[in-house]
């Protein structure tokens, strides 16, 4: 059996960036790092890829081991490979990210590693290059939200336009114009107005809507460029 002689060996890790929506705010899941260096500092969920597993399998194993979360669909984001990113040993990290409904997974969440949800504007300082990972994941999430209606997957079967607007504002961390947002949303023709109103938020109340599933898959292009010029939101 041939070997690649004379080549340096290094470690391969998988890090998981999990965004969640709780019905009002977009949050990021963090844990306390369990080993030195920087033990007990806030960290993304990460671990080393083993010889007998793929990076995707490692990411899912690491996420479940550290938080209890399983069956979370994660997308591969980027490979982080600065030579000095890990002070102990040369380590490449493949970063994965996902956006989930917090309430759907809250019963799975374990607290052995102090897993905790943080609002995006209240994030603590993270270890190594994890801040850079989060920054890139936020940018990718904003692009996806602008070009495809992924956020509808986080809403209940019936929802109000203000609820959906709060979700978009959480992703972009910016106030959107109420009238313009409502007009663009309704112009897609993919929402069905229901006769009932949600009256807890205001005296006047807001009508409930539901997604027209029969036309959604065929006509999701109606949502393309739903957020104009998304680059202007990528300041952080």
């Amino acid at each position: 059996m041939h070997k690649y002689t004379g080549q340096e060996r290094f470690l391969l890790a998988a890090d998981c960036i999990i965004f969640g929506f709780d019905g009002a705010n977009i949050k990021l899941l963090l844990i306390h790092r369990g080993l030195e260096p920087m033990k007990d500092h806030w960290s993304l969920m990460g671990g080393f890829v083993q010889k007998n597993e793929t990076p995707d399998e490692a990411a899912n194993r690491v996420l479940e081991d550290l938080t209890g979360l399983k069956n979370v669909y994660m997308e591969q984001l980027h490979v982080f490979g600065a030579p000095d990113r890990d002070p102990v040993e040369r380590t490449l990290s493949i970063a994965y990210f996902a956006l989930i409904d917090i309430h759907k997974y809250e019963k799975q969440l374990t607290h052995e590693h102090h897993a905790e949800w943080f609002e995006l504007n209240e994030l603590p300082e993270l270890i190594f290059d994890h801040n850079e990972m989060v920054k890139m994941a936020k940018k990718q999430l904003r692009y996806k939200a602008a070009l495809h209606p992924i956020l509808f997957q986080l809403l209940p079967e019936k929802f109000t336009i203000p609820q959906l607007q709060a979700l978009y504002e959480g992703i972009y961390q910016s106030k959107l114009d109420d009238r313009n947002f409502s007009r663009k949303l309704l112009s897609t023709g993919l929402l069905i107005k229901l006769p009932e109103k949600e009256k807890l938020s205001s005296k006047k109340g807001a009508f409930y809507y539901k997604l027209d599933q029969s036309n959604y898959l065929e006509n999701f292009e109606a949502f393309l460029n739903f957020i104009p010029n998304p680059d202007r939101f990528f300041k952080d």
Side-chain angles (χ1 to χ4, degrees), residues 82-216:
D84 59 350
R85 62 171 301 275
D86 188 318
V88 175
E89 194 168 346
R90 177 82 163 101
T91 305
L92 296 182
S93 175
I94 303 175
Y96 291 79
F97 80 107
L99 176 61
I100 67 173
D101 179 346
I102 289 177
H103 299 305
K104 181 179 176 181
Y105 289 89
E106 60 187 349
K107 290 184 179 178
Q108 289 186 11
L109 194 64
T110 59
H111 298 282
E112 180 182 352
H113 296 276
H114 307 283
E116 187 174 333
W117 291 101
F118 286 84
E119 291 190 25
L120 295 186
N121 59 355
E122 297 178 355
L123 296 180
E125 190 65 25
L126 304 180
I127 68 166
F128 304 162
D129 54 358
H130 288 193
N131 288 303
E132 183 184 346
M133 292 182 182
V134 172
K135 180 179 178 180
M136 184 177 291
K138 286 196 310 186
K139 182 173 181 178
Q140 182 66 12
L141 190 61
R142 288 169 181 174
Y143 262 125
K144 288 178 68 67
L147 300 175
H148 193 279
I150 60 168
L151 303 187
F152 282 90
Q153 300 166 12
L154 300 179
L155 291 169
E157 185 176 350
K158 61 179 184 179
F159 52 86
T160 67
I161 290 178
Q163 285 175 327
L164 181 58
Q165 183 171 338
L167 179 51
Y168 271 91
E169 288 178 342
I171 290 289
Y172 290 95
Q173 295 182 271
S174 180
K175 183 77 174 85
L176 302 175
D177 180 76
D178 294 353
R179 288 186 179 182
N180 195 36
F181 183 87
S182 179
R183 178 181 58 79
K184 278 198 162 190
L185 187 61
L186 295 176
S187 70
T188 64
L190 294 182
L191 297 187
I192 299 173
K193 189 176 183 179
L194 303 177
E196 53 190 307
K197 284 186 172 184
E198 187 275 320
K199 295 185 177 180
L200 295 177
S201 302
S202 66
K203 290 183 180 180
K204 184 179 179 182
F207 278 104
Y208 280 110
Y209 291 81
K210 68 177 182 179
L211 193 63
D212 186 349
Q213 297 288 352
S214 63
N215 292 319
Y216 170 64

Side-chain angles (χ1 to χ4, degrees), residues 66-79:
L66 296 179
T67 68
L69 299 185
K70 53 187 176 181
N71 300 320
V72 174
Y73 173 71
M74 291 184 285
E75 292 186 41
Q76 196 173 112
L77 175 67
H78 187 72
V79 176

